[in-house]
Structure formats: C-alpha cells, structure tokens
Amino acid sequence: MRIIGGHVFDGEGFVEREVLIEGDRFVGADAEVGESPALDATGCYVIPGLIDLHFHGCVGHDFCDGTEEAVDAIARHEASCGVTAICPATMTYPEDVLGPIMDCAAAYGAKPDGAALVGINMEGPYISPDNIGAQNPAYLHLPDEAMFRRLQERSGNLIKLVDVAPEVDGALDFIASVTPDVRVSIAHTQADYDTACAAIEAGARQMTHLCNAMPPLHHRKPGPIGAAFDSPDVMPELIADGVHIHPSMVRFLFAAFGGDRVILISDSMMATGLDDGEYTLGGQGVTVRGNVATLHDGTIAGSATDLMACVRVAVRDMGIPLETAVRAASANPARALGIERERGAIEPGMMADAVVLDENLEVKHVVVRGSVV
C-alpha cells in the first residue's frame, strides 16, 4: 500500500512524501511495492496511530468487564477513532476480581479491525484513601508485591504500568522492588514534595493524570507536580478533554515539561461514543452530560472523550501545536510502555499504524497493521 499526497509527521514536523507499506510494516522509499493500491491523503495530515495508555472503556463496555466481547468492542471503537494501540486501565478492585480480568487480557488476540492490546495499566488498588477520586474506597489495598506478581503472571506479563500513592504504608519498598519489572506511576495521592521525590528515587517514572487526584502546585508546597518537574526522567499524563484541566494549565505544563515528556491520555469510560445517560465505573454510578462524567456526588469520573478528540481539543482549543500534541499521543506513550521500536512513528520497520486527518483534524482514514479499517 502507498499513502500519497499527504503531509506526513516525521517526529518533529510535517513533510510532503509518500508512505510505503509492505505487509504490516512501514518500509523505506527504496522498497519495491509494485502496483500497490494508493490511499489518497491530498491536503491531509498523516500521523502515527495514537496510543492510549490510560483509559477504561467506551461504547458501553469497560475493560474490567473481563470478557473478550468487551475488549473487542473497545478495541474496534478505539481503532475507528485513530487509536491503534491500547493499554487500558483497571479500577480499584480486590484480587479475586482483578484476576479474571488479567486472564482475559492474556488470552486476547487483536482482531483485524481492532487496536492492538499492548499492555495493562493497573490503576488501583494501591492508592490513597485521602485522594480516591472516582475509585471505590471499599477495595483499597496496601501495596503488595506478592499480589502484584500473581496478577502479572496471570496477565502474561501484560501489566506495563502500576499506580501507587507513595505515602501509604509500604509504598516506597514496593516501588523499589517492582521497578525492574514494571513502570511505576504516582497516582491518587496526598504526597508532599519530599515524599514524591522519595518515590521517584525509588524508581517511579510516571505521574497519573497530572493535577487530578493529587495536591495542586503551590509556590511554597510544590507537591508531586513540582517533584515531577524536577525529575527529567518522569513523564506526566495529561487529560486534555477541556474538563479535567484548564487550557492555561495545559499550556503551562507543556511549556514546563516539554513536548518530549508529556503523555496525552483520555481516561475515557464506557459512555464514550454513546449518548448522555447513566453509566457505571468501578461499580459506582456515573452520570454523563456532554463530555462531563461525574459520580453522583459530583466527583469527576473519567472522561467521555476519546484520545483523538483530546488531541483536537489540545490543538484547536488550547493552542498546543499539532506536532507537539501528536508526539504526546504517539511517540511518548510508546516510549513509556517500552514499545518505541515497534510503534509510535512512521518509520521503516515500524508497525504500519497510521491515521489520515483532514484539515479540521477529523479522522478520514485509519490504517491498522497495514490494512485500512
């Protein structure tokens, strides 16, 4: 296949060139692709398929449903939105609920028209009762290495991220013990600056939905946001849906951390892609009105916006340059997940996942593993 006529993202900006695909891989300009079919991208942007490493569900399904049907529906919808690789997040549940979810993921095989399941983000239950967000406090658990390793084995080593509040008992020892085998993200925390720095020193390298479910940035108490800024190896997640973080703060954080560190996520829940109404998240009732999802007490409960829509909001409504937003939703999450040699860029040898966007950044075509879906 050839993608012709488009402005192709090269990791830094956009250049006019053809994109050549052989099988499920991008190939170089000297490759022999013969009389292959051409996908016309004239006047459009061609970007790598996006990678969402923190979301819960869409179209009426949640990853924690723990069924092939749910993962299929989620993967197909995400692909249709230009998200070609997914690392869905679990909620705070006990081990007997999380175990079958891991079993399902381990057995799952990507469908031709669906996003690839490239990991699991274990968001709960090792978080703080004092900043629970939309997680269920009934199932909180202190960090438990043996429990984590049992779940990791059941997942077939698919858990790529595990979230931890560094101030809870045993957290720092847990972080130091598991860091060689999984990426630790600071999450749902009341940690002060020094405690967050201690977690980073122990091995934490990511911040879960920065600004949300953590102390705010204060000039005398910089908290975990300041600790992350001071640590060049730490990558912050941002939800740029226009609900979770004010546009000025999004611009500030991109400027502070730099476009190579920020990871755009959606944190979407099962209502994404559906109408307003009543839904659930982690066993709790959620009301969705427009793109705002809340528990019945008013707490924000994930988002109702997919990652490609977050990219559009970041660019059109928040003033983030398109090339910066694309990198934050493709190459950066790929690096965080350790799959940067496989996905997140349009380069020879990489998985042929690409999205053609029109001048309004609306999805025109999606290519998943070399095939138009």
Side-chain angles (χ1 to χ4, degrees):
M1 178 191 297
R2 296 177 299 143
I3 304 176
I4 61 173
H7 302 275
V8 181
F9 184 66
D10 67 357
E12 297 294 333
F14 291 88
V15 296
E16 292 188 40
R17 67 173 177 87
E18 283 191 356
V19 175
L20 302 182
I21 298 170
E22 185 173 357
D24 62 359
R25 302 282 166 168
F26 295 117
V27 293
D30 57 347
E32 296 290 337
V33 295
E35 296 298 321
S36 56
L39 190 64
D40 187 3
T42 301
C44 296
Y45 301 102
V46 183
I47 66 171
L50 304 190
I51 302 169
D52 199 346
L53 59 67
H54 188 152
F55 78 107
H56 297 277
C58 53
V59 290
H61 296 275
D62 191 295
F63 178 64
C64 287
D65 294 346
T67 67
E68 182 177 7
E69 176 190 10
V71 181
D72 269 349
I74 290 167
R76 288 189 167 105
H77 179 77
E78 292 296 311
S80 76
C81 298
V83 181
T84 57
I86 56 174
C87 177
T90 58
M91 292 291 288
T92 293
Y93 280 121
E95 185 174 359
D96 61 352
V97 174
L98 291 171
I101 297 167
M102 303 302 171
D103 296 340
C104 175
Y108 186 73
K111 304 305 186 290
D113 58 346
L117 180 65
V118 295
I120 298 168
N121 182 339
M122 189 172 160
E123 189 175 3
Y126 309 141
I127 58 177
S128 170
D130 298 320
N131 219 332
I132 197 71
Q135 302 283 334
N136 194 329
Y139 302 124
L140 289 176
H141 200 294
L142 291 177
D144 184 331
E145 182 181 357
M147 172 187 171
F148 167 75
R149 294 198 182 281
R150 288 192 297 270
L151 291 170
Q152 180 70 293
E153 182 176 5
R154 292 181 70 166
S155 77
N157 292 313
L158 266 178
I159 302 174
K160 303 301 182 183
L161 291 162
V162 61
D163 293 8
V164 180
E167 74 274 22
V168 302
D169 289 346
L172 297 181
D173 288 341
F174 174 87
I175 294 169
S177 294
V178 304
T179 286
D181 305 308
V182 70
R183 187 174 178 92
V184 176
S185 188
I186 295 174
H188 289 272
T189 179
Q190 282 294 99
D192 59 16
Y193 175 85
D194 291 336
T195 304
C197 285
I200 294 166
E201 178 67 24
R205 289 295 179 267
Q206 197 152 310
M207 301 294 290
T208 296
H209 43 52
L210 195 75
C211 298
N212 296 109
M214 65 180 59
L217 184 66
H218 185 278
H219 61 288
R220 285 190 296 273
K221 297 178 180 179
I225 300 174
F229 171 74
D230 282 342
S231 306
D233 292 336
V234 173
M235 302 178 76
E237 304 170 3
L238 294 184
I239 310 171
D241 62 347
V243 175
H244 282 77
I245 311 176
H246 191 280
S248 179
M249 181 60 79
V250 172
R251 290 189 290 272
F252 169 77
L253 292 169
F254 265 101
F257 283 89
D260 287 335
R261 290 175 65 186
V262 175
I263 300 170
L264 285 178
I265 64 168
S266 71
D267 202 18
S268 66
M269 47 83 69
M270 64 163 57
T272 304
L274 299 177
D275 295 332
D276 293 357
E278 297 296 319
Y279 298 92
T280 61
L281 180 66
Q284 301 184 94
V286 176
T287 300
V288 174
R289 296 288 181 268
N291 67 336
V292 180
T294 59
L295 299 182
H296 294 162
D297 66 2
T299 302
I300 294 177
S303 85
T305 307
D306 64 76
L307 183 57
M308 187 63 78
C310 288
V311 168
R312 282 193 291 271
V313 170
V315 174
R316 298 196 308 211
D317 301 339
M318 298 178 171
I320 304 303
L322 176 59
E323 57 270 24
T324 302
V326 169
R327 187 161 60 247
S330 57
N332 293 357
R335 193 166 78 251
L337 294 173
I339 57 173
E340 68 272 24
R341 296 181 183 276
E342 184 80 2
R343 302 175 188 274
I346 300 175
E347 296 178 359
M350 304 278 274
M351 189 64 68
D353 292 338
V355 186
V356 178
L357 301 176
D358 67 18
E359 65 276 12
N360 296 315
L361 308 185
E362 298 292 342
V363 174
K364 188 173 181 181
H365 302 292
V366 180
V367 178
V368 175
R369 299 181 293 280
S371 299
V372 179
V373 299

